[in-house]
Amino acid sequence: MKSKLLSISEIKVLTRENQKQIFGGILEPVDLSKCGCSCSGSVTGPFYCRRHIYCPQVYTCNE
């Protein structure tokens, strides 16, 4: 498998040092503590919450 991948043009093996320089994740700063779920299962909070969390779609009010 590795030999097949290395035969593809522009494929390079990354060293440990190269791997340490790779960063990823959320591009914008978000505060997930502002996100939550309503009793009807809707995501609450700022607009970005809908991209980062999901809520169970069940009615849990007045239980």
Side-chain angles (χ1 to χ4, degrees):
M1 177 90 173
K2 184 178 177 181
S3 61
K4 289 181 182 179
L5 287 175
L6 294 176
S7 67
I8 300 172
S9 63
E10 302 298 321
I11 296 290
K12 297 177 184 175
V13 177
L14 296 176
T15 64
R16 288 191 185 273
E17 205 53 45
N18 292 135
Q19 292 175 26
K20 289 179 184 177
Q21 296 173 3
I22 297 174
F23 296 95
I26 300 170
L27 296 177
E28 63 209 33
V30 295
D31 183 0
L32 295 180
S33 68
K34 295 180 179 179
C35 303
C37 298
S38 69
C39 59
S40 64
S42 298
V43 176
T44 59
F47 72 95
Y48 56 77
C49 292
R50 288 182 248 335
R51 289 188 286 177
H52 297 289
I53 71 165
Y54 294 95
C55 299
Q57 298 298 312
V58 293
Y59 187 80
T60 56
C61 297
N62 301 323
E63 286 187 357

